[in-house]
Amino acid sequence: MIHKFSSWICCQLGAREHYAIPRSLDKTGQLTHLITDAWVSPDSMLNGLPKPLLVNLRERFHTDLAPASVHAFTGSLIRFEIAQRIKKKTGWEQMIARNDWFQQNAIRLLYKLDDQLFTLNSRPTFFAYSYAALKLFQYAKAKGWRTVLGQIDPGPFEEKLVMEEHARHPIYQSNWQPPPSQYWTTWHEECSLADRIVVNSLWSSEALQQVGISKHKIDIIPLAYQPPEQACDFVRIYPSVFSDERPLRVLFLGQVILRKGLAALLEAAELLSDQPIEFWMVGSKGISIPQPSHSKLQWIGSVSRSATAMYYQQADVLLFPTLSDGFGLTQLEAQAWKMPIITSRFCGEVVKDRVNGLILPQVSGEAIAQALKFCLNNPCQLEAFAKQSTDTSSFSLLQLQQSLQALPYAVV
């Protein structure tokens, strides 16, 4: 069991998972420092700038961490992003440059904090997310610290699957490009320096093992999620029969890209063109859809996080036919609103087949169409699925904190 006074240093680029890892550690007094790229408190003068300019930075704060020791490089980040725009850097070039910028700033800060860290009662655990961890782990290892890598996706095996999907469907033109080979070389070095690698699903664990990462180094810790209060009392009602007047409302929420199973979804829509079904497509388009688009497809586009609640409430079933996802938070969001889910197995384990939804045998138009026909013909079964929705309390911050404490490397 980990010593109750052990300390953690979290190094996090962005607001991933709403700072769930540092928040969970701070609740037990184990967070020594959070190092992040930007931190914009409610009283910051930056909030007075035009909203479009800082729309993303406004999310770089969490009240849970207001009393914590948080270090950020907000001014430097703004200068960096402006410079990137002037240089017209985009895509992987920009992403890799941002990762390097963050690590360089974080290491300079760690040197400044060196005296404080030296006085800690035990070796700290250093946590960082994948693709922005190599230089940080090199520093941490030189200090004799424990290292934990938060793997944000299924890695290079996912890239292989996506590349194959694009080759199969050239008609859906997109701007997707694989990263340069050095990107994966750096990642493998990160994995080598990590004492433990935390993934969010069994699928991610399997994908990492496919490219040579030892199973014994990997720990599965699902995402933390806090449902909206108003979802607790929500009651889902289905008609006795779906019809043209009251069709089956199928929600897709996420990036409209091939990795999310869009080719199979669009094929299913064609197969079901004569059925009382409509598809609500909520998310930004990352592929070009050949015209004319199917009449049953409603292209809603991107919406704010707060606006997604309306779609979860009004749709009948969430369709999540992903080819590969580290977890798929939309599953927990849908379950909080007692919405059944049709999903692939290539994501986090939220759906129990024929209990609270359906698991596709494969990601294909035919498989999706069969699952939707089942829902169409069995509204009473959808209602039963809704009543068996996953208890999202099992994905709480407390559960996350306990899982972090149970990491095998931490025995003392």
Short mmCIF file of all heavy atoms in Angstrom, two decimals, residues 195-247:
data_model
loop_
_atom_site.label_atom_id
_atom_site.label_comp_id
_atom_site.label_asym_id
_atom_site.label_seq_id
_atom_site.Cartn_x
_atom_site.Cartn_y
_atom_site.Cartn_z
N ASP A 195 7.68 4.11 -14.93
CA ASP A 195 7.55 2.95 -14.04
C ASP A 195 6.21 2.27 -14.25
O ASP A 195 6.11 1.05 -14.21
CB ASP A 195 7.69 3.39 -12.58
CG ASP A 195 9.09 3.84 -12.24
OD1 ASP A 195 10.04 3.11 -12.61
OD2 ASP A 195 9.25 4.91 -11.63
N ARG A 196 5.15 3.08 -14.44
CA ARG A 196 3.82 2.56 -14.71
C ARG A 196 3.21 3.37 -15.86
O ARG A 196 3.49 4.57 -16.00
CB ARG A 196 2.89 2.65 -13.49
CG ARG A 196 3.40 2.03 -12.23
CD ARG A 196 3.74 0.56 -12.36
NE ARG A 196 2.63 -0.26 -12.85
CZ ARG A 196 2.76 -1.56 -13.14
NH1 ARG A 196 3.94 -2.16 -13.00
NH2 ARG A 196 1.71 -2.24 -13.56
N ILE A 197 2.38 2.71 -16.64
CA ILE A 197 1.64 3.38 -17.71
C ILE A 197 0.16 3.20 -17.44
O ILE A 197 -0.35 2.07 -17.38
CB ILE A 197 2.01 2.80 -19.10
CG1 ILE A 197 3.51 2.96 -19.36
CG2 ILE A 197 1.19 3.47 -20.18
CD1 ILE A 197 3.99 2.27 -20.62
N VAL A 198 -0.53 4.31 -17.25
CA VAL A 198 -1.97 4.26 -16.94
C VAL A 198 -2.77 4.47 -18.22
O VAL A 198 -2.59 5.48 -18.92
CB VAL A 198 -2.34 5.35 -15.90
CG1 VAL A 198 -3.86 5.45 -15.75
CG2 VAL A 198 -1.69 5.04 -14.56
N VAL A 199 -3.63 3.50 -18.53
CA VAL A 199 -4.56 3.63 -19.66
C VAL A 199 -5.98 3.62 -19.09
O VAL A 199 -6.20 3.26 -17.94
CB VAL A 199 -4.37 2.49 -20.67
CG1 VAL A 199 -2.99 2.52 -21.28
CG2 VAL A 199 -4.65 1.13 -20.03
N ASN A 200 -6.94 4.00 -19.92
CA ASN A 200 -8.32 4.14 -19.43
C ASN A 200 -9.23 2.98 -19.79
O ASN A 200 -10.39 2.97 -19.39
CB ASN A 200 -8.93 5.44 -19.95
CG ASN A 200 -8.16 6.67 -19.52
OD1 ASN A 200 -7.83 7.53 -20.33
ND2 ASN A 200 -7.84 6.76 -18.24
N SER A 201 -8.72 2.01 -20.56
CA SER A 201 -9.59 0.91 -20.97
C SER A 201 -8.77 -0.33 -21.29
O SER A 201 -7.56 -0.26 -21.56
CB SER A 201 -10.40 1.31 -22.21
OG SER A 201 -9.53 1.57 -23.30
N LEU A 202 -9.45 -1.46 -21.28
CA LEU A 202 -8.82 -2.72 -21.68
C LEU A 202 -8.38 -2.66 -23.13
O LEU A 202 -7.32 -3.18 -23.49
CB LEU A 202 -9.80 -3.88 -21.48
CG LEU A 202 -9.32 -5.27 -21.93
CD1 LEU A 202 -8.08 -5.69 -21.16
CD2 LEU A 202 -10.45 -6.30 -21.78
N TRP A 203 -9.17 -1.99 -23.96
CA TRP A 203 -8.81 -1.85 -25.37
C TRP A 203 -7.47 -1.13 -25.52
O TRP A 203 -6.62 -1.56 -26.30
CB TRP A 203 -9.90 -1.10 -26.12
CG TRP A 203 -9.46 -0.59 -27.47
CD1 TRP A 203 -9.36 0.70 -27.86
CD2 TRP A 203 -9.02 -1.37 -28.59
NE1 TRP A 203 -8.90 0.79 -29.16
CE2 TRP A 203 -8.68 -0.47 -29.62
CE3 TRP A 203 -8.88 -2.74 -28.82
CZ2 TRP A 203 -8.22 -0.89 -30.87
CZ3 TRP A 203 -8.40 -3.17 -30.06
CH2 TRP A 203 -8.09 -2.25 -31.06
N SER A 204 -7.26 -0.04 -24.79
CA SER A 204 -5.98 0.67 -24.86
C SER A 204 -4.83 -0.22 -24.41
O SER A 204 -3.74 -0.21 -24.99
CB SER A 204 -6.03 1.94 -24.02
OG SER A 204 -6.74 2.97 -24.66
N SER A 205 -5.07 -1.00 -23.35
CA SER A 205 -4.04 -1.92 -22.87
C SER A 205 -3.67 -2.92 -23.96
O SER A 205 -2.49 -3.17 -24.22
CB SER A 205 -4.54 -2.65 -21.62
OG SER A 205 -3.61 -3.62 -21.19
N GLU A 206 -4.67 -3.48 -24.61
CA GLU A 206 -4.42 -4.45 -25.68
C GLU A 206 -3.67 -3.80 -26.84
O GLU A 206 -2.76 -4.40 -27.42
CB GLU A 206 -5.75 -5.03 -26.18
CG GLU A 206 -6.46 -5.90 -25.14
CD GLU A 206 -7.85 -6.31 -25.59
OE1 GLU A 206 -8.36 -5.72 -26.58
OE2 GLU A 206 -8.44 -7.20 -24.97
N ALA A 207 -4.05 -2.57 -27.18
CA ALA A 207 -3.41 -1.86 -28.29
C ALA A 207 -1.94 -1.59 -28.00
O ALA A 207 -1.08 -1.72 -28.88
CB ALA A 207 -4.15 -0.56 -28.58
N LEU A 208 -1.62 -1.20 -26.76
CA LEU A 208 -0.22 -0.95 -26.40
C LEU A 208 0.59 -2.24 -26.43
O LEU A 208 1.75 -2.24 -26.86
CB LEU A 208 -0.15 -0.30 -25.01
CG LEU A 208 -0.04 1.24 -25.00
CD1 LEU A 208 -1.23 1.89 -25.69
CD2 LEU A 208 0.09 1.76 -23.58
N GLN A 209 -0.01 -3.33 -25.98
CA GLN A 209 0.70 -4.61 -26.01
C GLN A 209 1.00 -5.05 -27.45
O GLN A 209 2.01 -5.72 -27.70
CB GLN A 209 -0.13 -5.67 -25.30
CG GLN A 209 -0.24 -5.45 -23.79
CD GLN A 209 -1.17 -6.41 -23.13
OE1 GLN A 209 -1.00 -7.63 -23.20
NE2 GLN A 209 -2.21 -5.88 -22.47
N GLN A 210 0.12 -4.65 -28.39
CA GLN A 210 0.33 -5.00 -29.80
C GLN A 210 1.61 -4.40 -30.36
O GLN A 210 2.16 -4.90 -31.34
CB GLN A 210 -0.87 -4.53 -30.64
CG GLN A 210 -2.14 -5.34 -30.46
CD GLN A 210 -2.09 -6.68 -31.16
OE1 GLN A 210 -1.34 -6.87 -32.12
NE2 GLN A 210 -2.86 -7.63 -30.67
N VAL A 211 2.08 -3.29 -29.75
CA VAL A 211 3.30 -2.65 -30.26
C VAL A 211 4.46 -2.83 -29.29
O VAL A 211 5.42 -2.06 -29.30
CB VAL A 211 3.05 -1.15 -30.54
CG1 VAL A 211 2.04 -0.99 -31.68
CG2 VAL A 211 2.57 -0.40 -29.30
N GLY A 212 4.36 -3.85 -28.43
CA GLY A 212 5.51 -4.24 -27.64
C GLY A 212 5.61 -3.70 -26.23
O GLY A 212 6.63 -3.92 -25.55
N ILE A 213 4.58 -2.99 -25.73
CA ILE A 213 4.61 -2.51 -24.35
C ILE A 213 4.21 -3.66 -23.43
O ILE A 213 3.20 -4.32 -23.65
CB ILE A 213 3.67 -1.31 -24.15
CG1 ILE A 213 4.00 -0.20 -25.16
CG2 ILE A 213 3.77 -0.79 -22.72
CD1 ILE A 213 5.41 0.31 -25.11
N SER A 214 5.00 -3.88 -22.40
CA SER A 214 4.76 -5.01 -21.49
C SER A 214 3.44 -4.86 -20.75
O SER A 214 3.13 -3.80 -20.19
CB SER A 214 5.90 -5.12 -20.47
OG SER A 214 5.57 -6.08 -19.47
N LYS A 215 2.67 -5.93 -20.74
CA LYS A 215 1.39 -5.95 -20.01
C LYS A 215 1.60 -5.67 -18.53
O LYS A 215 0.75 -5.05 -17.87
CB LYS A 215 0.74 -7.32 -20.20
CG LYS A 215 -0.54 -7.52 -19.41
CD LYS A 215 -1.09 -8.93 -19.63
CE LYS A 215 -2.37 -9.15 -18.81
NZ LYS A 215 -2.91 -10.52 -19.02
N HIS A 216 2.73 -6.08 -18.00
CA HIS A 216 3.01 -5.94 -16.56
C HIS A 216 3.31 -4.51 -16.15
O HIS A 216 3.38 -4.20 -14.96
CB HIS A 216 4.16 -6.86 -16.17
CG HIS A 216 3.91 -8.30 -16.51
ND1 HIS A 216 2.95 -9.06 -15.88
CD2 HIS A 216 4.48 -9.11 -17.44
CE1 HIS A 216 2.93 -10.28 -16.39
NE2 HIS A 216 3.86 -10.34 -17.33
N LYS A 217 3.47 -3.65 -17.15
CA LYS A 217 3.75 -2.24 -16.87
C LYS A 217 2.49 -1.38 -16.95
O LYS A 217 2.52 -0.20 -16.59
CB LYS A 217 4.78 -1.73 -17.88
CG LYS A 217 5.61 -0.55 -17.44
CD LYS A 217 6.70 -0.27 -18.48
CE LYS A 217 7.74 0.68 -17.91
NZ LYS A 217 8.84 0.93 -18.86
N ILE A 218 1.40 -1.96 -17.41
CA ILE A 218 0.18 -1.21 -17.73
C ILE A 218 -0.87 -1.39 -16.63
O ILE A 218 -1.10 -2.49 -16.16
CB ILE A 218 -0.40 -1.67 -19.08
CG1 ILE A 218 0.63 -1.49 -20.20
CG2 ILE A 218 -1.68 -0.91 -19.40
CD1 ILE A 218 0.22 -2.11 -21.52
N ASP A 219 -1.50 -0.29 -16.26
CA ASP A 219 -2.61 -0.32 -15.30
C ASP A 219 -3.82 0.34 -15.94
O ASP A 219 -3.70 1.41 -16.55
CB ASP A 219 -2.23 0.43 -14.01
CG ASP A 219 -1.08 -0.24 -13.30
OD1 ASP A 219 -1.30 -1.23 -12.61
OD2 ASP A 219 0.06 0.26 -13.46
N ILE A 220 -4.98 -0.29 -15.80
CA ILE A 220 -6.22 0.25 -16.36
C ILE A 220 -6.97 1.02 -15.28
O ILE A 220 -7.40 0.44 -14.28
CB ILE A 220 -7.10 -0.87 -16.92
CG1 ILE A 220 -6.35 -1.66 -18.00
CG2 ILE A 220 -8.40 -0.29 -17.49
CD1 ILE A 220 -7.08 -2.91 -18.48
N ILE A 221 -7.09 2.32 -15.49
CA ILE A 221 -7.85 3.19 -14.57
C ILE A 221 -8.83 4.00 -15.42
O ILE A 221 -8.40 4.87 -16.18
CB ILE A 221 -6.93 4.13 -13.77
CG1 ILE A 221 -5.92 3.31 -12.95
CG2 ILE A 221 -7.76 5.02 -12.86
CD1 ILE A 221 -4.96 4.17 -12.13
N PRO A 222 -10.12 3.74 -15.34
CA PRO A 222 -11.10 4.47 -16.16
C PRO A 222 -11.10 5.97 -15.86
O PRO A 222 -10.61 6.42 -14.82
CB PRO A 222 -12.44 3.83 -15.76
CG PRO A 222 -12.09 2.51 -15.19
CD PRO A 222 -10.75 2.70 -14.52
N LEU A 223 -11.66 6.72 -16.77
CA LEU A 223 -11.80 8.16 -16.58
C LEU A 223 -12.68 8.46 -15.37
O LEU A 223 -13.57 7.68 -15.02
CB LEU A 223 -12.44 8.80 -17.81
CG LEU A 223 -11.66 8.79 -19.12
CD1 LEU A 223 -12.48 9.46 -20.22
CD2 LEU A 223 -10.32 9.48 -18.98
N ALA A 224 -12.42 9.60 -14.75
CA ALA A 224 -13.30 10.08 -13.68
C ALA A 224 -14.38 10.94 -14.31
O ALA A 224 -14.14 11.68 -15.27
CB ALA A 224 -12.51 10.88 -12.66
N TYR A 225 -15.58 10.86 -13.74
CA TYR A 225 -16.70 11.61 -14.31
C TYR A 225 -17.67 12.01 -13.21
O TYR A 225 -17.99 11.20 -12.33
CB TYR A 225 -17.43 10.75 -15.35
CG TYR A 225 -18.69 11.40 -15.88
CD1 TYR A 225 -18.62 12.52 -16.71
CD2 TYR A 225 -19.94 10.90 -15.55
CE1 TYR A 225 -19.78 13.12 -17.19
CE2 TYR A 225 -21.10 11.49 -16.03
CZ TYR A 225 -21.01 12.61 -16.86
OH TYR A 225 -22.15 13.20 -17.32
N GLN A 226 -18.11 13.25 -13.27
CA GLN A 226 -19.09 13.75 -12.32
C GLN A 226 -20.34 14.16 -13.10
O GLN A 226 -20.32 15.12 -13.86
CB GLN A 226 -18.54 14.95 -11.54
CG GLN A 226 -19.49 15.45 -10.47
CD GLN A 226 -18.84 16.54 -9.62
OE1 GLN A 226 -17.66 16.85 -9.75
NE2 GLN A 226 -19.62 17.12 -8.71
N PRO A 227 -21.45 13.43 -12.93
CA PRO A 227 -22.65 13.73 -13.71
C PRO A 227 -23.30 15.04 -13.29
O PRO A 227 -23.16 15.46 -12.13
CB PRO A 227 -23.57 12.54 -13.41
CG PRO A 227 -23.14 12.07 -12.05
CD PRO A 227 -21.65 12.31 -12.01
N PRO A 228 -24.01 15.69 -14.19
CA PRO A 228 -24.72 16.92 -13.82
C PRO A 228 -25.84 16.61 -12.83
O PRO A 228 -26.49 15.56 -12.92
CB PRO A 228 -25.28 17.43 -15.15
CG PRO A 228 -25.32 16.23 -16.03
CD PRO A 228 -24.18 15.36 -15.60
N GLU A 229 -26.06 17.49 -11.89
CA GLU A 229 -27.06 17.25 -10.85
C GLU A 229 -28.46 17.03 -11.42
O GLU A 229 -29.20 16.17 -10.94
CB GLU A 229 -27.09 18.43 -9.87
CG GLU A 229 -25.83 18.55 -9.01
CD GLU A 229 -25.92 19.69 -8.01
OE1 GLU A 229 -27.02 20.28 -7.89
OE2 GLU A 229 -24.91 19.99 -7.36
N GLN A 230 -28.79 17.77 -12.46
CA GLN A 230 -30.14 17.67 -13.01
C GLN A 230 -30.40 16.32 -13.68
O GLN A 230 -31.56 15.95 -13.91
CB GLN A 230 -30.42 18.80 -13.99
CG GLN A 230 -29.50 18.85 -15.20
CD GLN A 230 -28.29 19.73 -15.00
OE1 GLN A 230 -27.73 19.75 -13.91
NE2 GLN A 230 -27.89 20.44 -16.04
N ALA A 231 -29.33 15.56 -13.99
CA ALA A 231 -29.51 14.26 -14.64
C ALA A 231 -30.06 13.21 -13.68
O ALA A 231 -30.67 12.23 -14.11
CB ALA A 231 -28.19 13.79 -15.24
N CYS A 232 -29.84 13.41 -12.38
CA CYS A 232 -30.23 12.40 -11.39
C CYS A 232 -31.73 12.12 -11.41
O CYS A 232 -32.17 10.98 -11.24
CB CYS A 232 -29.80 12.84 -10.00
SG CYS A 232 -28.02 13.05 -9.82
N ASP A 233 -32.53 13.15 -11.63
CA ASP A 233 -33.99 13.00 -11.58
C ASP A 233 -34.62 12.86 -12.96
O ASP A 233 -35.85 12.86 -13.09
CB ASP A 233 -34.61 14.20 -10.86
CG ASP A 233 -34.11 14.33 -9.43
OD1 ASP A 233 -33.93 13.29 -8.77
OD2 ASP A 233 -33.86 15.47 -8.99
N PHE A 234 -33.80 12.73 -13.98
CA PHE A 234 -34.33 12.66 -15.34
C PHE A 234 -35.01 11.32 -15.58
O PHE A 234 -34.49 10.26 -15.23
CB PHE A 234 -33.21 12.86 -16.36
CG PHE A 234 -33.67 12.81 -17.78
CD1 PHE A 234 -34.41 13.86 -18.32
CD2 PHE A 234 -33.39 11.71 -18.58
CE1 PHE A 234 -34.84 13.81 -19.65
CE2 PHE A 234 -33.82 11.66 -19.90
CZ PHE A 234 -34.54 12.71 -20.44
N VAL A 235 -36.20 11.35 -16.18
CA VAL A 235 -36.95 10.14 -16.51
C VAL A 235 -37.06 10.05 -18.03
O VAL A 235 -37.56 10.97 -18.68
CB VAL A 235 -38.36 10.15 -15.89
CG1 VAL A 235 -39.13 8.91 -16.31
CG2 VAL A 235 -38.28 10.25 -14.37
N ARG A 236 -36.60 8.95 -18.59
CA ARG A 236 -36.62 8.76 -20.04
C ARG A 236 -37.89 8.02 -20.43
O ARG A 236 -38.24 6.99 -19.84
CB ARG A 236 -35.38 7.98 -20.48
CG ARG A 236 -35.22 7.86 -21.99
CD ARG A 236 -33.84 7.35 -22.35
NE ARG A 236 -32.82 8.33 -22.02
CZ ARG A 236 -32.52 9.38 -22.78
NH1 ARG A 236 -33.18 9.59 -23.91
NH2 ARG A 236 -31.58 10.22 -22.43
N ILE A 237 -38.59 8.56 -21.43
CA ILE A 237 -39.86 7.98 -21.86
C ILE A 237 -39.77 7.62 -23.35
O ILE A 237 -39.31 8.43 -24.17
CB ILE A 237 -41.03 8.97 -21.63
CG1 ILE A 237 -41.15 9.29 -20.14
CG2 ILE A 237 -42.34 8.38 -22.17
CD1 ILE A 237 -42.19 10.36 -19.83
N TYR A 238 -40.21 6.40 -23.69
CA TYR A 238 -40.23 5.95 -25.07
C TYR A 238 -41.67 5.74 -25.54
O TYR A 238 -42.54 5.38 -24.74
CB TYR A 238 -39.45 4.64 -25.22
CG TYR A 238 -37.97 4.79 -25.05
CD1 TYR A 238 -37.35 4.53 -23.83
CD2 TYR A 238 -37.17 5.21 -26.11
CE1 TYR A 238 -35.98 4.68 -23.67
CE2 TYR A 238 -35.80 5.37 -25.96
CZ TYR A 238 -35.22 5.09 -24.73
OH TYR A 238 -33.86 5.26 -24.58
N PRO A 239 -41.92 5.93 -26.82
CA PRO A 239 -43.26 5.64 -27.34
C PRO A 239 -43.49 4.13 -27.42
O PRO A 239 -42.53 3.36 -27.39
CB PRO A 239 -43.24 6.27 -28.74
CG PRO A 239 -41.80 6.18 -29.15
CD PRO A 239 -41.01 6.40 -27.89
N SER A 240 -44.73 3.73 -27.52
CA SER A 240 -45.00 2.29 -27.66
C SER A 240 -44.58 1.78 -29.02
O SER A 240 -44.21 0.61 -29.18
CB SER A 240 -46.50 2.02 -27.44
OG SER A 240 -47.27 2.78 -28.36
N VAL A 241 -44.61 2.69 -30.02
CA VAL A 241 -44.20 2.34 -31.38
C VAL A 241 -43.51 3.55 -32.00
O VAL A 241 -43.98 4.68 -31.85
CB VAL A 241 -45.42 1.94 -32.25
CG1 VAL A 241 -44.99 1.67 -33.68
CG2 VAL A 241 -46.13 0.73 -31.68
N PHE A 242 -42.41 3.31 -32.71
CA PHE A 242 -41.76 4.39 -33.47
C PHE A 242 -42.45 4.51 -34.82
O PHE A 242 -42.85 3.51 -35.44
CB PHE A 242 -40.27 4.10 -33.65
CG PHE A 242 -39.48 4.19 -32.38
CD1 PHE A 242 -38.93 3.06 -31.80
CD2 PHE A 242 -39.29 5.41 -31.75
CE1 PHE A 242 -38.20 3.14 -30.61
CE2 PHE A 242 -38.56 5.51 -30.57
CZ PHE A 242 -38.02 4.36 -30.00
N SER A 243 -42.58 5.74 -35.28
CA SER A 243 -43.30 5.99 -36.53
C SER A 243 -42.68 7.19 -37.24
O SER A 243 -41.75 7.83 -36.73
CB SER A 243 -44.77 6.28 -36.22
OG SER A 243 -44.88 7.47 -35.44
N ASP A 244 -43.22 7.51 -38.42
CA ASP A 244 -42.73 8.68 -39.14
C ASP A 244 -42.98 9.95 -38.34
O ASP A 244 -42.21 10.91 -38.40
CB ASP A 244 -43.42 8.79 -40.50
CG ASP A 244 -42.95 7.71 -41.47
OD1 ASP A 244 -41.82 7.21 -41.29
OD2 ASP A 244 -43.72 7.36 -42.38
N GLU A 245 -44.07 9.97 -37.55
CA GLU A 245 -44.38 11.11 -36.71
C GLU A 245 -43.48 11.16 -35.48
O GLU A 245 -43.16 12.24 -34.97
CB GLU A 245 -45.85 11.07 -36.27
CG GLU A 245 -46.86 11.31 -37.38
CD GLU A 245 -46.94 10.14 -38.35
OE1 GLU A 245 -46.73 8.98 -37.89
OE2 GLU A 245 -47.19 10.37 -39.55
N ARG A 246 -43.10 10.01 -34.98
CA ARG A 246 -42.19 9.91 -33.82
C ARG A 246 -41.12 8.88 -34.12
O ARG A 246 -41.17 7.72 -33.72
CB ARG A 246 -42.98 9.55 -32.56
CG ARG A 246 -42.12 9.27 -31.31
CD ARG A 246 -41.19 10.46 -30.94
NE ARG A 246 -40.54 10.19 -29.66
CZ ARG A 246 -39.35 9.58 -29.53
NH1 ARG A 246 -38.68 9.19 -30.62
NH2 ARG A 246 -38.83 9.37 -28.33
N PRO A 247 -40.10 9.31 -34.91
CA PRO A 247 -39.04 8.36 -35.30
C PRO A 247 -38.08 8.04 -34.17
O PRO A 247 -38.06 8.72 -33.14
CB PRO A 247 -38.33 9.12 -36.42
CG PRO A 247 -38.52 10.56 -36.08
CD PRO A 247 -39.90 10.64 -35.46
#
